[in-house]
Amino acid sequence: MKNIIHIISMKRGLGGVQQSFLSYYKFAQHSSRYKHYIFSNHEVSKNYGYLRNFFKIQKNFFTFLKHIISKNSIIYLHNKLPSKKIFYLLKLLPTNNNIIFAESGTAWNIKTQDQIEIYKKNADLAKQIIVCSIATKHMLVKRFKINAKKIKLIYNGQEDPLIKKKNSKKKKLNIGFIGRLETIKGAHLFIEAANLLKKKNLIFWIAGDGDLEKELKEISKGNKNVNFIGNVKNPFDFIKNLDILVVPSIREPLGLVSIEAGLCKVPVIASNIDGIPEVISNKHSGILINPTRKINLKKYNNQKSLPNFVINPNNQKLVKPKELDPKILSKSILLLSKNKILRLKYGLKLYQHVRKRFSIKSYFKGIEDLYEQF
């Protein structure tokens, strides 16, 4: 039996990469033909609970090296293509052509030529690169000139929590945002739209934490309908109580949160950028809005996370990032809030789509079939 050695950081509390991996890893524990291990530089976040076969690299370094060079191990690196440490490690050790890299978003963070070179060198060492979306594949091919034949699309999978929506006669609708409070996630646009709707019968909920929390609370002052609730342990517990989820991202390789909303049958209003349209079809399973507003670099302090390029899903070209116009976003929120039938329709269509394309079983099978090639 071959060993699958996952190298991934489980330190962060609300990362889509970690949540996706956790669903897969728990499923693989009882369904895989292989034995799985996790190696990380950090202790696992308490948010993820107990993980079987989890090892901290520093405490188990020689065991880690043995796996790297073993013919009986497949090395699966999650979001590690930009890592210099990984490059030097793999370059120095005989790895038996057993390297898989999974790319789920780090490609958008690359800014300097030095980073680009390391990224390309790590890609050269890989036997296979797994991407989470068509947009991610285009980013790798067009920006980093990586051979498309080495790239394999396997959509992330999520287990259906089988949530039953309750019929309620509440007077106010709940509009939500969940994610890291940093510029690229667009929480500032959500609040700007909420400020334009503060006289309406709507309550706005923000779940998550991050560098912009203080500034975001400042711009929401005077709007008693905006509520910050901090980090949430289980996204489904937050999303299932919403009437509309808003995903105003500036960049989003795929967008796990939209998949989670679909599994809750909650309609989504989102940016038409990168991989988001691979989850949501405009005016069929949600509302997509083209980003048209120039990003004001002086408005927020947290600008380091802004990408140099994003993927325009209409033509799959690299373009400079823009953000949603809050006026257009507010009009879409108001439109959907006034039409219960449309909300139910979009929620159901999104549920049917994500159940088919993003099931944990299809994701698991795609990964398992890939292992067979080693």
Side-chain angles (χ1 to χ4, degrees), residues 26-295:
K26 289 183 175 180
F27 192 88
Q29 290 298 311
H30 57 75
S31 301
S32 180
R33 298 188 290 273
Y34 306 93
K35 192 161 185 179
H36 294 254
Y37 299 86
I38 301 173
F39 282 85
S40 178
N41 282 324
H42 307 283
E43 296 291 353
V44 66
S45 168
K46 293 179 181 179
N47 291 308
Y48 300 112
Y50 171 75
L51 292 179
R52 192 190 307 174
N53 297 331
F54 177 90
F55 299 95
K56 195 172 178 183
I57 293 175
Q58 291 90 328
K59 293 179 181 179
N60 302 273
F61 188 66
F62 291 107
T63 303
F64 174 68
L65 290 182
K66 285 180 182 178
H67 280 300
I68 295 286
I69 64 177
S70 172
K71 293 181 179 179
N72 202 42
S73 295
I74 297 172
I75 312 304
Y76 192 165
L77 298 116
H78 300 261
N79 265 5
K80 299 294 183 182
L81 275 166
S83 171
K84 281 187 179 181
K85 289 181 179 178
I86 291 295
F87 169 70
Y88 290 125
L89 178 69
L90 299 182
K91 193 71 175 174
L92 290 171
L93 296 175
T95 56
N96 302 299
N97 197 28
N98 61 348
I99 304 297
I100 298 173
F101 278 97
E103 171 53 79
S104 304
T106 60
W108 277 257
N109 302 334
I110 304 300
K111 295 180 180 293
T112 68
Q113 190 59 38
D114 179 57
Q115 291 174 320
I116 290 173
E117 290 306 315
I118 289 294
Y119 195 99
K120 292 166 72 172
K121 287 177 180 178
N122 273 328
D124 288 340
L125 295 173
K127 181 173 181 179
Q128 195 82 58
I129 299 171
I130 299 172
V131 295
C132 64
S133 65
I134 296 170
T136 306
K137 182 174 181 178
H138 282 293
M139 179 65 76
L140 267 59
V141 172
K142 293 182 178 180
R143 189 169 185 210
F144 301 97
K145 312 303 179 187
I146 293 172
N147 187 346
K149 293 180 180 178
K150 188 178 274 193
I151 302 170
K152 185 173 181 62
L153 170 64
I154 303 178
Y155 281 120
N156 290 342
Q158 192 73 17
E159 197 157 4
D160 189 344
L162 301 175
I163 290 170
K164 292 183 179 180
K165 295 285 286 182
K166 296 179 181 179
N167 291 322
S168 63
K169 296 181 180 179
K170 54 192 175 187
K171 294 182 179 180
K172 292 189 176 184
L173 296 185
N174 293 311
I175 318 299
F177 166 94
I178 181 170
R180 298 188 304 278
L181 303 186
E182 56 186 53
T183 309
I184 58 168
K185 292 297 182 180
H188 59 292
L189 306 169
F190 178 75
I191 295 173
E192 287 184 46
N195 288 344
L196 294 170
L197 297 168
K198 62 183 176 182
K199 294 183 179 180
K200 304 297 179 181
N201 243 12
L202 304 171
I203 304 177
F204 295 87
W205 301 93
I206 299 171
D209 56 22
D211 297 337
L212 283 183
E213 185 171 348
K214 184 178 179 180
E215 293 170 81
L216 293 173
K217 287 181 177 178
E218 188 64 31
I219 64 172
S220 69
K221 274 186 177 181
N223 190 345
K224 62 182 180 180
N225 292 328
V226 175
N227 303 275
F228 290 79
I229 63 171
N231 230 334
V232 293
K233 187 174 182 180
N234 185 343
F236 289 115
D237 289 339
F238 173 74
I239 296 171
K240 70 181 182 182
N241 293 314
L242 299 177
D243 296 287
I244 301 169
L245 178 75
V246 179
V247 185
S249 301
I250 291 172
R251 67 96 163 147
E252 199 68 70
L254 180 64
L256 177 63
V257 67
S258 298
I259 297 171
E260 291 168 334
L263 292 174
C264 295
K265 298 179 183 175
V266 170
V268 177
I269 299 172
S271 306
N272 186 30
I273 200 66
D274 294 327
I276 291 177
E278 295 174 53
V279 183
I280 300 164
S281 296
N282 189 36
K283 297 182 180 179
H284 175 76
S285 59
I287 296 175
L288 294 176
I289 305 171
N290 291 322
T292 56
R293 192 170 83 165
K294 186 177 179 180
I295 299 170

Side-chain angles (χ1 to χ4, degrees), residues 326-363:
K327 291 181 181 179
I328 298 174
L329 177 57
S330 66
K331 288 178 181 179
S332 295
I333 292 172
L334 192 59
L335 171 71
L336 201 53
S337 69
K338 289 181 175 180
N339 195 327
K340 184 178 181 180
I341 292 175
L342 196 58
R343 293 199 305 273
L344 292 173
K345 175 190 171 184
Y346 286 169
L348 179 59
K349 291 293 184 182
L350 185 56
Y351 175 73
Q352 293 169 341
H353 177 65
V354 300
R355 278 268 299 178
K356 183 178 180 180
R357 177 174 282 185
F358 302 100
S359 75
I360 189 64
K361 289 183 179 179
S362 62
Y363 178 53

